[in-house]
Amino acid sequence: MWDFLIPLFAATVQSGTPILYATLGEMMTEKGGVLNLGVEGMMSISALAAFWVSLTTGSPWLGFMAGGLAGMAFGGLHAFVCVSCLGNQVVSGLALTILGLGLTHYLGVPYVGLAAPGFDPFDFPLLSQIPVLNEIFFRHDMLVYVSFVLPLIFWFFFRRTSLGLHVTATGEMPAAAGAAGLKPVRLRYFAVMAGGFLIGLGGAYLSLSYTHLWTNGLSGGRGWIAVALVIFAFWRPGRAVVGAYLFGGVMAFQLRLQAVGTNLPSSLLLMLPYLLTILVLILSAWRGRRIEGPAALGTNIEPEG
């Protein structure tokens, strides 16, 4: 049993890591009051950008940063449409998904099957000596270890820094934030572009750590999972970690069931986290608990004069 469970739990952490990056990025964006449904396309184009830069330069770290910058660029485009031009946030996000997936499939064809330098697993000093936990948590690559501290940084940013509090105020009551002397438009730009950077890092992980080979369709619906996971987590980074590993565990379990030759359709397993998300929302509404999303989420604000 342990020979099956320990590799499964280790694969859960690996599979959940790109989802966690993307979820925190979408959470950052929504904290500023902007809805972004373009996460899937942003992860896809960021994975390609990271792969191309790593393949060209031989440096996976430069590729990782390139993936983040690609996500930031798409985030900036979304912010321009929704914040500066007051465009519909849902339509703009869906357009980003179509654009990102289309560009990736078109530009990525010459690289299909090629390998690029990436991040390899290594034993984390000291912690890799802990029995059982070492194989699950502390024998991964550097990007997984970064993801362990990222939710703590995210929490500290929004709870203990003035910039994080200003972004939260913009997502809750942008008019009041403006009356208090803040710059809601600039803060929304920051939230969307910083969130895009995190989403891009999630895409970069797919091509530089999850697999070092390029193949089209690498995002595999993870962007949509991240959007749903923000609601599942009630905009809280700690719950995002649990949700990301839940989704990652289902993905890893599904792959292992296919490997042993089960006849159970994989689509049935992949739908379980979405079903759980719906159940959580139903139970929350039944208990009269308010979903603590930003009050101004999806609402455009007038550009600053």
Side-chain angles (χ1 to χ4, degrees), residues 6 37 63 75 80 96 148 154 180 215 218 220 236 267 271 283 304:
I6 291 179
L37 298 182
F80 175 75
L96 280 184
F148 289 163
F154 191 93
T215 177
L218 197 57
R236 297 177 183 176
S267 57
M271 68 181 282
L283 289 175
E304 299 166 5

Side-chain angles (χ1 to χ4, degrees), residues 43-75:
M43 290 187 72
S44 183
I45 195 67
S46 297
L48 178 60
F51 181 87
W52 181 81
V53 171
S54 180
L55 181 65
T56 304
T57 65
S59 171
W61 281 110
L62 286 179
F64 188 54
M65 289 297 103
L69 292 176
M72 180 182 289
F74 265 59

Side-chain angles (χ1 to χ4, degrees), residues 145-301:
Y145 300 139
V146 171
S147 74
F148 289 163
V149 300
L150 196 58
L152 297 176
I153 297 174
F154 191 93
W155 177 88
F156 181 84
F157 174 77
F158 279 104
R159 290 297 185 93
R160 294 292 185 266
T161 68
S162 57
L163 179 57
L165 293 173
H166 292 169
V167 171
T168 301
T170 300
E172 293 290 345
M173 300 182 66
L182 303 181
K183 302 291 185 182
V185 169
R186 299 180 188 179
L187 289 169
R188 283 198 166 186
Y189 260 95
F190 169 80
V192 176
M193 295 182 70
F197 184 80
L198 290 175
I199 293 169
L201 296 184
Y205 177 89
L206 291 174
S207 57
L208 299 180
S209 292
Y210 196 71
T211 173
H212 296 181
L213 295 172
W214 177 254
T215 177
N216 282 327
L218 197 57
S219 55
R222 292 175 176 85
W224 297 114
I225 291 175
V227 174
L229 191 51
V230 173
I231 303 173
F232 176 89
F234 294 111
W235 292 266
R236 297 177 183 176
R239 293 186 180 185
V241 175
V242 175
Y245 289 158
L246 172 64
F247 279 82
V250 171
M251 288 184 169
F253 185 57
Q254 170 252 326
L255 291 175
R256 274 159 175 71
L257 283 182
Q258 288 184 336
V260 299
T262 181
N263 294 323
L264 186 65
S266 61
S267 57
L268 292 179
L269 291 173
L270 291 176
M271 68 181 282
L272 291 180
Y274 299 100
L275 177 61
L276 183 59
T277 301
I278 296 173
L279 291 177
V280 168
L281 295 177
I282 293 174
L283 289 175
S284 298
W286 179 67
R287 295 176 59 186
R289 177 179 178 178
R290 187 178 72 89
I291 298 176
E292 299 175 358
L297 178 61
T299 303
N300 288 333
I301 57 178

